[in-house]
Structures are given as structure tokens and as C-alpha cells.
Amino acid sequence: MTAELVRGQNHSLPQTRLEIRVSAGSPVVAGATLGDERGTVRGPGRIAHPASHRVPGLEVSRQAAADHRLAVDLDSLPAAVHRVTVFLALPVGAGRPLSFGAVAAPFVAVTGLDGTETATFTLTGLDTESAVSALEIYRRQGAWKVRAVGQGYATGLAGLFADQGVAEAAETAAVIQDAVASGLARSVTPPPRTPEGERVRHPAGPAASGTGGRPSSSEVQPPPSPSPGAQPTEPLGDPTASRAGAPGGPIDYAHPRRQASAPPPPPPTAPPAAPGLPAQPVAGDATGWSMDERLYNQIWGMFEDLARAVAAYRSAVDFAESRMDQELDRTLSDPRSRIGGAGDRAREAARAKRDELTGRAREALDRDLAQLAAESAVVEPALPAAYAGWDNPVWHGYRVPMEMPMALRIGDLRLSEAPDLRIPLLVRLPLERGIWIDSGRTASEAAASTTGDQLRGLAVETAATLAARLLAVHPADMFSVHVIDPAGSAAGPLSPLVGSGVLAGPPATGAQGVASVLAHLTRRVDLVQMAIRAGAADALPPDLDTGEHLLIVNDFPHGFDDRAVTQLRYLADEGPSVGVHLLMVADREDARAYGPVLDPLWRSLLRITPVADDHLADPWVGHAWTYEPLRTPQGSNVLEQVLDLVAEARRGGRR
């Protein structure tokens, strides 16, 4: 039976390998400190946090998230550790809540690796606090117990760490917040939650899983221990109550944001499967009012399914390696095993068990991947133009739409365990944040085999292709594209946009051109913001274009003076809320002279690359996903044909 704790209440722990699950109303930082008998933390090395997410016996998330899973192995803690304190903190930054009083009360649960709850605690009564010690696991007379704490700190993490005796409290808090800001910048933003925030629970059975009945990876693998490969936390997903399990526990394969009692029409049902076989996948197998919304939710479900299946596999492999190491250590610690063949037999047995466990985990992963591949094969041909790659036949029947879609595909994502399975990366429209195409050299193999000039050319080509997709999925005259190209170096890659006549004007060059475009868009943002605040939208000047605007900036910061840089930062921060969006092509190394002044700009943008690179993180597990930009098929004129249709529709709308 689950113990529902109140402040100060404790409860015995029946096992030493645990998960701490956190669910909050908005992204929070989750970590833990390791204290001695008095609760004193002997330095930053005894703190698990996003910048140092693993300490002996404990692993936490690398990102801030609304939901977390912390992996705890009490048997692996150092002997001097008698207290594990789980803390939560709010990330700092513009637009983020300043105190826990402004967000929903966090919920914390202590569970076994199978998801069975041992104790829960809801942190009510918080007000001005921005950090809180949620609960502590402590050793008493050789046994472990959990106590609900709920002690908040208006002074944030610095105050919390100082109260636990950390000498470098303020410095450690600053390191954590810097790591959190970087993690939020690289995380893909998930779809908004449904009001219920729950997933559909599918009935048990061989054909009843959320994606066609594939079995859970956890059915064939042992529970994992905290290990280098495990990422048991969820940066921006649904409440933990709707998760059936993290690595090592049952995996819930239901698609995200399906509603328990959904008001939209039900999704298509798969044809009955033969006995013993999984159900056949169906395009649109998710809730939604339209087919586009169903496909959108289904793609995000596939994204999460792949993330969790691979996390389960990696955890199982890490557990098998850890178990083998422990068995070998025990064997070698006995002097008698070093004589004769006993030691050799023990080593062979340990390795055989490791191979058996990893083999079973791989078999389960392969089944999951096969089912996802089958689902992808059904979904891809059914995608509308906004979600489809350039090689999809849907573009051959393209017509300018009458309304804006809910999302746009800007590339594909994949993991090393499934290199042939690509998940479409969909971003909501209107864009919620700007996009930065990094033209600098990265550590990826693709970048290493490409020259600097080629990378810059590919970056501008990626920007032009992305702008074309944005133009194609918006109604005529409802989306305008402006270009700043100070040195005129992007003329070649931009030629499809320029030649078709879909740009709002010729690409701006030189300092005067940069200043003119920035002043025009800054004025628009100012006027729309003032009209919204005053509730006088009808008072906008008649010459003001109220449609969406995209500003492409090439080769930043060349051609930008301090005033222009300030205006660009303003557009990046304030523009998206009033329909002005930024698409920047830049090498961060070129802007190093500005130092930390531009750090908020880089963090506010979604970074993508012109070649394959593993820099994006999913919002559930935190895997590093390889991003690949969308390219038109070699020899295809699909881009030019689509732009011609857009230009024709615009000319017709102006008559």
C-alpha cells in the first residue's frame, strides 16, 4: 500500500533500488545531495545535478523538466553517506516563474523499479520559495527510510546548499543554472498537454499496446542500476502518473497526449490481427479533431516510443555490464578463487550472463524497432505537405493552402541503435522560437568531411529550403520573408526565393540595408505590442502588414553594429509573440568578440545544422539525437515548382 506522506512523516523502504519520480506544473530542476550523519554535504562532489548528473549510487536528469525520474541504488552509496536529500528548484530566465507559489504544487513519489509506489508527497504551502528540499532518504540503525521534508528557500539553490553546509554554495548554484539554461536551449519542445494530461490506457494483450501491440522491452531485461548510459528522467513530458515506467520498468507505448475520455472523434482502428500477432499500424492512430492533428500526435508518439525503447535497452546493457563487474570483483576478492580454474570459470560465467542479458534486451529492442518501422512505413505516405519530406509524392499535387497548418517538418531525427528509422521533427506553427542554422564546424563526421565554405553554403541552402517550406504551408499573402545578406554572399543558394519573386523585397546588403530592414520589423513589433496592450487592434496603421514575417539573417554578425545587434536580440525575444520570426545563419565563433552578451540570443533559438549532427535532445529521456536537414531529391525541381505556385497565388491575391 502506498503511504501518502505529510511534512515530517517518514516511512520504511522495502528495497534499496528505487526511483524518485517528480511531477510539476512547469519545468523544474531536480537533483540530490549526499550528506553525512548530520546531513552535512562535503563539497560539490556530493551533489548530483544537471551539470554533474551522476554520483555513486545516484543519477539525475541533465535538464530541467516538468517530470523527472531519479535513479537511486542505496547499496552503491559511499559508506559515509547517511542521507540523500532530493531537491527541486525553478530555472532562472526571462518569462519563467519566480517562485513555487506561482506554479502547481510539485508531486514526488518513491517507487520500485517496476513502478510500484512506496510513498508519495505533495509539496503544498510553498509561496516565495524558488528551491525546496522535497524529501530525504536516510539510514537509521542499518535500515533506510524516507521522510517528507518540504523545506523551501526564498534564496534559491544557494540558500539550500548553504543550509546543508556546502562551502561553495553560490558558485555551485550558478553552475547548475548555467547547465540548465544550456539544456533547455537544446531540448526539442514537446506538444502542449491535453487538459487531462493523460494517455489512453490500452487493454492488455498481445495486440493491445499503444503502437500495434509490441511487447515492452522490460519484459525481457532485469531492472537497471544507475549507470553511465541510463537517462531516467523526462525533461518536458506528461505527468509521471501517466508514465508506466522508465528504463527498467514497464514501458507505456501509448502515444502522448491521447485523452482518457477524448472529446475529438476516435482515431481509426486497425484491422483485427491474427492470433498471436501484433495489430497492424494505422495512419492517424491518435486522437484529434482532424487527420492532420492525429498524424501530428502519432508522430510525437513514435518519437517518444523510440526514445523510451532505446533508453530501456541502454539501461539493460549498462545493468548487465555492472552486474558482471560486481561478480568479477567478488570473485577476485576471494584469494581462493585465484588458484586453479575457479577464477576462470567464474569469469566465464559472469561474461556468459552478461551476454545473455544484453542479447535478450537487443531482441526486445529489435521487436520494438520493427513495429515502429512498420508504423513509419504507413504514416509517411499519409502525411500532408507540411509534415512530408521533399521526396513525398504529396508535393506533386501541391496547392496553396487556405489556412496555416498546426506544425511544420524541419528535419529528421534518428538514434544510433536504429540508423534507418527516422522520426520527423515537427515544430508548432506559428513558430514559438527562432531558428539558428549553425554554419560553424562541429564534431560530427559529416562536418569533419566538409570544408568551411561548403558548410556555409549548405547552411544558407538549408535556410532557403526552410523558408520555402514556410511560404508553401501558409495562405497566400499571409507570410512574408525578408532577407539580410550584408556581403551578398548568399546570392546562389537564395536564387530560388529571389527568382520566384516570393520575397518581400530584394535581400538587404550593406550597413544601410541591415538598418532599414531591422527598423521596419522593430517598428512592426512595437506597434502591434502597443495595440495589444491597449486593446486597440483596429487602431493599427493601414499600411501595417499583420501577417506572419520571417527574417533570414545570413553571416551574422558581419554588417551589424551595436545598435543592429540590440535590435536583432529584441526581435528574437519579442517578435514570435506578435508574428515576427528569426531564421539566422551564423557561426558562433564569428561572434566571440561579443562574449557573453549574445549568450541569451543563442539560447533563445532552436539550433539546427546543415549536415547530420547529434546535438538535439528529446524532452523525455534526454538522448542526443542526430538531426538531419531536409534536402530536395537530386535533380528534382520540386522546390522551384512549389515556389512558382506560391508566387502565382500571391499575384492573384493582389489583383
Side-chain angles (χ1 to χ4, degrees), residues 20 57 59 73 88 101 159 170 201 309 359 393 396 403 406 441 457 461 550 556 564 582 621:
I20 311 296
E59 186 170 2
D73 186 352
L88 307 177
R201 297 298 187 189
H396 297 301
E403 60 183 17
M406 67 181 300
R441 186 171 298 283
E461 181 182 321
L550 177 72
F556 176 82
L582 181 60
V621 183

Side-chain angles (χ1 to χ4, degrees), residues 107-355:
F107 173 83
V108 184
V110 180
T111 76
L113 294 177
D114 60 355
T116 303
E117 291 182 348
T118 299
T120 64
F121 176 40
T122 302
L123 285 79
T124 57
L126 298 175
D127 188 8
T128 60
E129 300 88 347
S130 58
V132 59
S133 293
L135 55 80
E136 63 183 18
I137 299 172
Y138 61 98
R139 197 195 314 249
R140 180 66 53 84
Q141 296 179 348
W144 289 95
K145 294 185 175 183
V146 59
R147 177 187 291 120
V149 180
Q151 174 64 52
Y153 296 84
T155 51
L157 283 175
L160 185 151
F161 292 150
D163 195 37
Q164 295 187 22
V166 180
E168 305 87 357
E171 294 82 354
T172 304
V175 168
I176 293 174
Q177 292 291 1
D178 286 344
V180 169
S182 298
L184 289 173
R186 63 187 288 267
S187 179
V188 179
T189 305
R193 299 179 181 181
T194 59
E196 291 81 359
E198 292 285 344
R199 293 178 173 200
V200 165
R201 297 298 187 189
H202 293 268
S209 296
T211 54
R214 59 181 176 275
S216 165
S217 296
S218 62
E219 294 173 4
V220 296
Q221 66 187 46
S225 59
S227 56
Q231 302 257 359
T233 55
E234 307 176 6
L236 291 172
D238 292 328
T240 51
S242 68
R243 306 294 190 197
I251 306 299
D252 183 351
Y253 285 107
H255 290 312
R257 283 143 297 281
R258 283 182 176 169
Q259 301 175 359
S261 55
T269 56
L277 296 178
Q280 296 302 308
V282 176
D285 182 19
T287 56
W289 288 104
S290 66
M291 187 62 173
D292 287 2
E293 185 177 358
R294 291 173 179 173
L295 288 168
Y296 173 82
N297 288 333
Q298 185 173 13
I299 288 171
W300 271 91
M302 294 165 60
F303 187 9
E304 182 174 359
D305 287 349
L306 181 55
R308 294 191 178 281
V310 171
Y313 168 72
R314 291 179 180 178
S315 292
V317 171
D318 291 334
F319 170 80
E321 294 286 348
S322 174
R323 174 172 175 166
M324 181 186 71
D325 292 340
Q326 292 175 8
E327 290 180 353
L328 291 177
D329 289 343
R330 284 195 296 268
T331 299
L332 296 177
S333 65
D334 185 356
R336 292 171 297 179
S337 66
R338 303 173 190 172
I339 303 173
D344 293 337
R345 289 191 296 272
R347 281 188 285 269
E348 290 176 2
R351 294 190 181 102
K353 185 62 176 177
R354 185 268 316 271
D355 294 342

Side-chain angles (χ1 to χ4, degrees), residues 487-512:
S489 59
L494 292 175
S495 58
L497 297 175
V498 175
S500 61
V502 295
L503 295 180
T509 59
Q512 186 174 355

